[in-house]
Amino acid sequence: MDLQRIKYFLALAEQLHYWKTAEKVNITQSALSRQIQSLESELGLQLFERNKRNVKLTPAGKFLKEKWEVELNELEYIHQFAKQLHLGERGTITIAHPDSISASIMPDILAKITQAFPKLQIKLVQVLYENQLDFLKNYKIDLAITRDITSEQGIHAKKIYSDHLALVVPLAHAFKKFEDLSTKRLKAQKFILPTKDEGSSYSEIIQALFKSYDFVPDVFLHSEFGSTIIALVRKGLGIAILPDSYMHHQSPGLRFIPLPFKTDILINWRADDHNPVLANILKLVFEN
Amino acid sequence: MDLQRIKYFLALAEQLHYWKTAEKVNITQSALSRQIQSLESELGLQLFERNKRNVKLTPAGKFLKEKWEVELNELEYIHQFAKQLHLGERGTITIAHPDSISASIMPDILAKITQAFPKLQIKLVQVLYENQLDFLKNYKIDLAITRDITSEQGIHAKKIYSDHLALVVPLAHAFKKFEDLSTKRLKAQKFILPTKDEGSSYSEIIQALFKSYDFVPDVFLHSEFGSTIIALVRKGLGIAILPDSYMHHQSPGLRFIPLPFKTDILINWRADDHNPVLANILKLVFEN
DNA sequence: ATTTATTAATGCGTATTTTGCATTAATGGA
DNA sequence: TCCATTAATGCAAAATACGCATTAATAAAT
């Protein structure tokens, strides 16, 4: 059963006149007549009571007119929705991102997305560094924003930003600016650092930093969560090294001393993910 | 857009394999491939992500699979319903009938109908004698059961039953059986009779009855409603002449004395009413 | 690395369906 | 009784769909 036929039927059910209807729907009266006939035989019922002079809906025809109008509208809407899915204007995407950027570039990215595609549904999740790629591969997330350079098979990655590392100390601390730092004075400090993850490019940078001062830090605590680290530093339990993105968080009582080391932020996605939503988001993120 | 195409799509969306699906739906793989392609171009979106090796639903395809399954079921149901309307197995019909038969032949008729067509909706209404034909012509009712013989243009009528007239008296009344009646004794009675409607065949019969006893009755009250008349008779306000169908009503305190006069019950409908429900009901009513 | 098997797409001729034109048949109104 | 209107229909042309055979891509096997 062709939906076009139903549309012809609905037009005729309005007009109740073959010639006028045929003209309205841009076919000949003969074609319309036959379309209605096929529709009737297909359904095994009579839609119109008609003689050579008058056209009138049967009870079944009246019923179908009402129902089909609703159904066709419904279908119309469904098809529009599907089209939006196809164009990546609708749909859902799950993004994992590190805590550090939740107050700096994440808001920028999200603002861009919601402005360009207001109907998109975005799910934000926090995932442990070590799980990120697994989650991506297993379709638990669609996009992972990381500080780790990974060259996994089937995962594409691209740098979208980089920020400086900073030494984080309580306001009362003796370190006020970069020049205050020296190997000797740093050696005396207790450090709170991210979990040391072998092969993580982020922790490699931090190691490189200590190497430049030529000592091994006294690390009394590891934590993966920047917000935890910040809380501990504020309480005076030690000092930390964090990306200066954290400056954008509301963190009174702390001083960020920028260090000449940079850390990259990368965006990762499945190479074979053809979800149009993803394509749209990547385009947005990369376009400037 | 042909619904068949959507069915092909749904089959493929299940199997995700052209050859197997094509076999299942009894067309060739080539035809199926082209059907899906036309569907895609018609909608302006991609339904499957496919290479020469694998078939996979796109997000839009997945969405449409779910929605179309629902819609097609809905349509299926609608078409079945319409078919039942066509066959007169479903639908609504409005029947007017006189009070007198509401406890005798109406229950019989209704039982027959509901047994044969359990899904029919029947509306019963009481309409004044004088309005019945108007209501029929103006599509306010579809069937009128009357005691009046009418030969209106465009109205068909057929006798379905006839019952005797009966003299209705309180149990304590002197009249016990037909032989107790005489012109002299009847003359002394007060009568409660139906509204005298000129040209009504029913009231003509009652007039004929009195003519056979050769006197004009003392009618102190007219009422069109049998149940009202019965209540008045029971209170001793007079005696009445009613169709003996009323005997089937629960009416303690009354005696029905059958009279040798019969009154017909006719069923009336519009000659040009092609509602299949009507046809079915007429067939049922006439078949024995 | 090469071959083989699998599988979706496609060119092409045929079959089916749909369409428009012209005509027919029925019917209401003058 | 005739005329105007209008839905149905015969027929040929156009459009569409189909099946067969083949192609092209690719995953698995060797």
Side-chain angles (χ1 to χ4, degrees):
Chain A
M1 182 172 327
D2 198 324
L3 292 187
Q4 188 55 49
R5 279 200 180 145
I6 297 182
K7 285 179 188 160
Y8 289 150
F9 161 78
L10 289 177
L12 180 58
E14 278 303 322
Q15 291 269 338
L16 296 176
H17 194 289
Y18 274 78
W19 280 93
K20 291 179 193 164
T21 307
E23 194 173 14
K24 201 170 197 175
V25 298
N26 291 313
I27 53 171
T28 57
Q29 175 268 328
S30 122
L32 178 60
S33 174
R34 272 185 264 249
Q35 289 276 3
I36 299 295
Q37 283 170 36
S38 347
L39 197 52
E40 286 183 328
S41 80
E42 208 169 351
L43 289 164
L45 53 82
Q46 220 182 318
L47 293 167
F48 296 99
E49 215 177 286
R50 53 200 186 275
N51 48 37
K52 299 257 168 188
R53 202 79 189 162
N54 289 303
V55 182
K56 196 186 139 198
L57 282 167
T58 60
K62 202 170 171 183
F63 171 78
L64 284 172
K65 170 172 144 64
E66 285 174 20
K67 294 298 178 180
W68 273 340
E69 272 171 355
V70 175
E71 292 295 313
L72 254 62
N73 276 335
E74 193 109 358
L75 281 174
E76 183 88 10
Y77 178 74
I78 288 171
H79 297 169
Q80 274 182 17
F81 198 104
K83 187 73 186 281
Q84 290 177 326
L85 287 176
H86 171 75
L87 295 173
E89 295 169 359
R90 282 227 196 222
T92 307
I93 198 155
T94 306
I95 304 175
H97 68 91
D99 191 28
S100 56
I101 59 166
S102 63
S104 52
I105 64 168
M106 274 315 283
D108 292 349
I109 292 175
L110 294 175
K112 244 191 238 175
I113 295 174
T114 53
Q115 198 195 358
F117 303 106
K119 289 170 184 167
L120 280 191
Q121 270 212 305
I122 300 164
K123 285 188 190 164
L124 294 181
V125 296
Q126 306 263 93
V127 172
L128 293 180
Y129 270 160
E130 49 183 310
N131 291 333
Q132 268 177 157
L133 285 181
D134 263 358
F135 274 44
L136 201 49
K137 281 184 183 170
N138 297 326
Y139 297 85
K140 289 182 182 164
I141 59 177
D142 304 303
L143 216 48
I145 299 176
T146 66
R147 291 185 187 276
D148 267 334
I149 298 154
T150 53
S151 53
E152 275 279 341
Q153 178 71 7
I155 302 292
H156 282 177
K158 196 163 170 180
K159 188 179 117 178
I160 52 168
Y161 191 72
S162 70
D163 52 9
H164 283 84
L165 290 182
L167 191 71
V168 185
V169 299
L171 273 183
H173 196 278
F175 292 163
K176 303 293 180 195
K177 53 188 194 294
F178 180 61
E179 287 71 25
D180 296 335
L181 309 185
S182 66
T183 303
K184 192 182 160 196
R185 297 182 78 183
L186 284 169
K187 253 186 177 169
Q189 299 294 323
K190 290 203 161 192
F191 281 90
I192 306 169
L193 292 185
T195 313
K196 195 171 174 181
D197 191 355
E198 292 305 327
S200 151
S201 47
Y202 178 55
S203 58
E204 271 170 22
I205 290 171
I206 291 184
Q207 280 181 275
L209 188 151
F210 286 117
K211 204 164 192 180
S212 76
Y213 282 99
D214 195 28
F215 78 105
V216 174
D218 173 10
V219 182
F220 92 103
L221 200 139
H222 288 278
S223 169
E224 186 152 351
F225 297 100
S227 50
T228 307
I229 294 174
I230 281 178
L232 297 175
V233 171
R234 188 179 300 122
K235 291 246 172 184
L237 293 173
I239 66 175
I241 291 167
L242 289 172
D244 67 1
S245 296
Y246 278 108
M247 285 204 297
H248 294 94
H249 296 230
Q250 296 294 91
S251 313
L254 291 181
R255 174 178 302 116
F256 283 76
I257 302 171
L259 302 172
F261 284 82
K262 294 184 88 174
T263 154
D264 293 339
I265 293 172
L266 299 117
I267 191 162
N268 301 268
W269 68 96
R270 287 183 295 277
D272 65 347
D273 188 342
H274 297 118
N275 187 339
V277 175
L278 176 68
N280 280 340
I281 289 186
L282 290 178
K283 211 164 80 185
L284 264 190
V285 170
F286 295 147
E287 78 187 359
N288 57 352
Chain B
M1 184 170 328
D2 197 325
L3 292 187
Q4 188 57 48
R5 277 196 181 149
I6 297 182
K7 285 178 189 160
Y8 290 150
F9 161 77
L10 289 178
L12 181 58
E14 278 302 322
Q15 290 271 339
L16 296 176
H17 193 289
Y18 274 77
W19 279 93
K20 291 180 193 165
T21 306
E23 195 174 13
K24 200 169 196 175
V25 299
N26 290 315
I27 52 171
T28 58
Q29 174 268 326
S30 124
L32 178 60
S33 174
R34 272 185 264 249
Q35 289 277 1
I36 299 295
Q37 284 171 36
S38 347
L39 196 53
E40 285 183 329
S41 80
E42 210 169 350
L43 288 164
L45 54 81
Q46 220 182 320
L47 293 167
F48 296 99
E49 214 178 285
R50 53 201 185 276
N51 47 39
K52 299 258 166 186
R53 201 81 189 160
N54 288 303
V55 181
K56 197 186 138 197
L57 281 167
T58 61
K62 201 170 171 182
F63 171 78
L64 284 172
K65 170 173 146 59
E66 284 174 23
K67 294 297 179 182
W68 273 341
E69 271 170 356
V70 174
E71 292 296 312
L72 253 62
N73 276 336
E74 193 107 359
L75 281 173
E76 183 87 10
Y77 178 74
I78 288 171
H79 297 167
Q80 274 182 16
F81 198 105
K83 187 72 186 281
Q84 291 177 326
L85 287 175
H86 171 73
L87 295 173
E89 295 169 0
R90 281 227 196 220
T92 308
I93 197 153
T94 306
I95 305 175
H97 68 92
D99 193 26
S100 57
I101 59 166
S102 62
S104 52
I105 64 168
M106 273 315 283
D108 292 349
I109 292 176
L110 294 176
K112 243 191 240 177
I113 294 173
T114 52
Q115 199 195 357
F117 304 106
K119 290 170 184 164
L120 279 190
Q121 270 214 306
I122 300 164
K123 285 189 189 164
L124 294 181
V125 297
Q126 305 264 93
V127 171
L128 294 181
Y129 271 160
E130 49 183 309
N131 290 333
Q132 268 176 158
L133 284 181
D134 263 358
F135 275 45
L136 201 49
K137 282 185 184 170
N138 297 326
Y139 297 86
K140 290 183 183 164
I141 59 177
D142 304 303
L143 217 46
I145 299 176
T146 66
R147 292 186 186 275
D148 266 335
I149 298 154
T150 53
S151 53
E152 276 277 343
Q153 176 73 7
I155 303 290
H156 282 178
K158 195 162 169 179
K159 188 179 118 180
I160 52 168
Y161 190 72
S162 70
D163 54 7
H164 283 85
L165 291 182
L167 192 70
V168 185
V169 299
L171 273 183
H173 197 277
F175 291 163
K176 304 292 182 195
K177 53 187 194 293
F178 179 61
E179 287 71 26
D180 297 336
L181 309 183
S182 67
T183 302
K184 192 182 162 198
R185 299 183 77 183
L186 282 168
K187 254 185 176 168
Q189 299 294 324
K190 292 205 161 188
F191 281 89
I192 306 169
L193 291 185
T195 314
K196 194 172 175 181
D197 190 356
E198 292 304 329
S200 150
S201 46
Y202 178 56
S203 58
E204 271 171 22
I205 291 171
I206 291 182
Q207 282 183 271
L209 188 150
F210 286 115
K211 204 163 194 178
S212 76
Y213 282 99
D214 196 26
F215 78 105
V216 175
D218 174 11
V219 182
F220 91 104
L221 199 139
H222 289 278
S223 168
E224 184 150 355
F225 297 101
S227 50
T228 308
I229 294 174
I230 282 179
L232 298 175
V233 171
R234 187 180 299 122
K235 292 246 173 185
L237 293 172
I239 68 175
I241 290 166
L242 288 172
D244 67 1
S245 295
Y246 279 107
M247 284 203 298
H248 294 94
H249 295 228
Q250 295 295 93
S251 312
L254 292 181
R255 173 178 304 114
F256 283 76
I257 302 170
L259 302 171
F261 283 83
K262 293 183 89 174
T263 154
D264 293 339
I265 293 172
L266 299 117
I267 191 161
N268 303 268
W269 66 96
R270 289 182 294 277
D272 65 348
D273 188 343
H274 297 117
N275 188 337
V277 175
L278 176 69
N280 280 340
I281 288 185
L282 290 177
K283 212 165 77 185
L284 263 191
V285 170
F286 294 148
E287 78 187 0
N288 55 356

